[in-house]
């Protein structure tokens, strides 16, 4: 049963201009340099805790833009706050990845790699400059990479567990670490206070359900769709409120919001579809279905396609809806079906595209698409 946590005031989102990517930027590199100097750390390091005392600094690099990585960074941050140790948190993106030598003179004691081990031998190379490197991942592809990396340095710990999401492993790791380091009677015994724990636990369960492709929890796919809207906030360099925002995310609120948005999209799709027309899929090789041009409405392509699929089946055609629109100067065809015996992916693959049986897409030349359009093929509602 879904558990609901108490509501708390919202933390503001960053203004739109602040959401620009800033991964291996000068600001991020300066944060690394500054954090190695206790006197400058509080003023210059994003996601640094101003009240932390001087001492060995640690670094948490989290896989951007995954929620497993971001919540892992939240756990690392909370642990270091609880034990009053210095920590710098930065997003790591394959778009503009950090290099191991960026940390050569940073004076870091430990580096946590959250929800990834880095490209190539990044984790191993990083261990030349950082005394302890601890990485967490859950992907089968990562597990398959490990033997190819060569001998693991003695100061590198790889926590690769394909049976649970890396965010779960990170939470377990820091919870146990906190329990083993309690020396102050005033120190909080848990990473989360009671108000936050249940809400965050619910979110992590859903993240894990999707990360491991289990799809066992109710409405996990809808949850994932709703969660995508939060992805733009995950860069802690440009959004200093990200960890407070992660604490506030609530499964029930996200699902309710997605349900409302889905209904709005369905209504908008229904209103948009006025005059669909028939096309011959693959010049008739794959039968006929209903199609519509949706230039400027590509965000509704899924909902429009499903509605077209239903109408196509009702008209005695194949239960496929084809949504056609121009995207960056290329004609794109999105196929959707509501029939579980129909495979749209075979059509998409024949034209260099791909997808799933129920949802696929591909690019098509305009002259080729014109041969698919039947004369007098207009279908009235």
């Amino acid at each position: 049963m879904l558990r609901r946590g108490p509501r708390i005031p919202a933390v503001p989102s960053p203004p739109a201009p602040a959401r620009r990517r800033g991964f291996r930027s000068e600001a991020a590199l300066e944060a690394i340099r500054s954090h190695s100097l206790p006197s400058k750390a509080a003023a210059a390091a994003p996601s640094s805790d101003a009240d932390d005392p001087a001492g060995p600094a640690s670094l948490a690099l989290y896989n951007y833009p995954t929620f497993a990585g971001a919540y892992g960074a939240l756990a690392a941050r909370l642990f270091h706050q609880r034990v009053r140790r210095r920590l710098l948190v930065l997003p790591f993106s394959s778009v503009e990845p950090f290099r191991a030598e960026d940390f050569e003179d940073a004076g870091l004691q430990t580096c946590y790699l959250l929800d990834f081990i880095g490209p190539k031998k990044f984790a191993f190379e990083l261990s030349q400059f950082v005394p302890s490197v601890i990485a967490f991942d859950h992907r089968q592809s990562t597990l398959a990479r490990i033997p190819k990396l060569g001998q693991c340095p003695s100061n590198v710990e790889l926590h690769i567990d394909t049976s649970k999401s890396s965010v779960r492993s990170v939470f377990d790791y820091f919870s146990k670490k906190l329990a083993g380091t309690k020396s102050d009677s005033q120190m909080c015994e848990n990473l989360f206070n009671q108000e936050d724990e249940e809400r965050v636990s619910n979110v992590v369960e859903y993240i894990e359900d999707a990360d491991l492709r289990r799809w066992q929890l109710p409405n996990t796919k809808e949850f994932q769709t709703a969660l995508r809207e939060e992805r733009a906030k995950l860069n802690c360099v440009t959004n200093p409120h990200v960890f407070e925002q992660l604490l506030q995310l609530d499964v029930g609120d996200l699902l309710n919001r997605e349900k409302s948005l889905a209904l709005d999209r369905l209504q908008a799709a229904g209103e948009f579809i006025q005059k669909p027309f028939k096309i011959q899929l693959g010049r008739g090789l794959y039968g006929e279905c209903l199609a519509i041009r949706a230039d400027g409405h590509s965000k509704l392509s899924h909902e429009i396609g499903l509605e077209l699929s239903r109408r196509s089946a009702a008209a005695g055609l194949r239960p496929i809806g084809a949504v056609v629109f121009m995207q960056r100067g290329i004609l794109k065809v999105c196929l959707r079906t509501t029939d579980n015996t129909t495979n749209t992916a075979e059509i998409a693959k024949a034209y260099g595209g791909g997808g799933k049986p129920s949802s696929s897409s591909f690019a098509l030349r305009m002259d080729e698409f014109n041969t698919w359009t039947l004369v007098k093929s207009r279908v009235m509602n």
Side-chain angles (χ1 to χ4, degrees), residues 187-379:
M187 186 184 297
C188 181
E189 295 186 0
N190 302 308
L191 287 178
F192 300 94
N193 59 42
Q194 189 174 3
E195 185 178 86
D196 296 329
E197 185 172 8
E198 192 169 14
R199 182 173 49 253
V200 173
S201 177
N202 283 335
V203 173
V204 168
E205 285 180 14
Y206 271 82
I207 290 173
E208 184 172 59
D209 196 42
D211 279 351
L212 302 183
R213 300 294 188 267
R214 290 174 177 166
W215 312 114
Q216 295 175 347
L217 297 177
N219 305 309
T220 298
K221 292 184 178 180
E222 289 78 5
F223 171 81
Q224 285 294 103
T225 301
L227 205 59
R228 289 192 200 108
E229 298 298 318
E230 304 294 324
R231 189 166 288 170
K233 303 175 183 178
L234 294 184
N235 186 342
C236 67
V237 174
T238 57
N239 178 17
H241 302 295
V242 58
F243 298 112
E244 289 79 4
Q245 290 167 348
L246 290 176
L247 281 172
Q248 292 178 3
L249 287 183
D250 180 90
V251 171
D253 289 344
L254 287 168
L255 289 177
N256 286 335
R257 186 173 69 187
E258 174 55 23
K259 183 178 180 180
S260 177
L261 291 174
L263 289 173
D264 290 343
R265 290 194 297 267
L266 284 173
Q267 182 178 356
E271 293 174 353
F272 177 77
I273 302 172
Q274 296 298 325
K275 295 181 179 180
F277 53 90
K278 285 194 295 185
I279 61 172
Q280 294 179 320
L281 293 164
R283 302 191 183 190
L285 181 62
Y286 300 100
E288 298 177 356
C289 75
L290 292 185
I292 198 166
R293 285 297 295 262
D295 299 300
H297 298 273
S298 59
K299 290 184 178 180
L300 293 173
S301 60
H302 182 72
E303 289 77 14
I304 293 172
L306 293 179
E307 178 60 23
L308 278 177
S309 170
R310 288 186 281 266
R311 296 190 188 189
S312 187
L317 307 175
R318 290 201 70 187
I320 295 175
V323 183
V324 185
F325 53 88
M326 295 298 296
Q327 185 177 67
R328 295 187 291 274
I330 299 174
L331 191 69
K332 186 172 182 178
V333 180
C334 294
L335 302 180
R336 300 291 185 271
T337 183
T338 55
D339 181 79
N340 57 17
T341 65
T342 299
N343 185 357
T344 68
E346 65 176 348
I347 306 171
K349 290 178 182 178
Y351 288 87
K356 301 177 293 185
S358 62
S359 173
S360 61
S361 63
F362 55 97
L364 198 65
R365 299 194 319 270
M366 181 63 77
D367 59 346
E368 174 64 18
F369 178 72
N370 288 338
T371 67
W372 294 19
T373 305
L374 300 176
V375 178
K376 298 180 180 180
S377 63
R378 187 73 64 186
V379 176

Side-chain angles (χ1 to χ4, degrees), residues 68 115 137-138 161-170 204 207-209 211-212 214:
D115 193 42
D137 202 338
H138 61 262
D161 189 342
T162 59
S163 69
K164 56 184 178 180
S165 175
S166 61
V167 65
R168 179 81 63 188
S169 296
V170 173
V204 168
I207 290 173
E208 184 172 59
D209 196 42
D211 279 351
L212 302 183
R214 290 174 177 166

Side-chain angles (χ1 to χ4, degrees), residues 121-144:
K121 294 187 176 183
F122 177 79
F124 293 1
E125 294 168 352
L126 188 61
S127 69
Q128 300 176 45
F129 311 118
V130 181
S132 177
V133 176
I134 305 172
F136 301 84
D137 202 338
H138 61 262
R139 297 168 182 81
Q140 289 283 356
S141 58
T142 300
L143 192 62

Side-chain angles (χ1 to χ4, degrees), residues 23-24 28-29 32 61 90-92 96-99 102-103 122:
F23 305 117
R24 191 181 178 272
L29 295 176
I32 296 168
L61 296 178
L90 290 172
F92 186 101
E96 194 176 359
F98 287 106
R99 305 163 189 167
D102 292 335
F103 307 95
F122 177 79

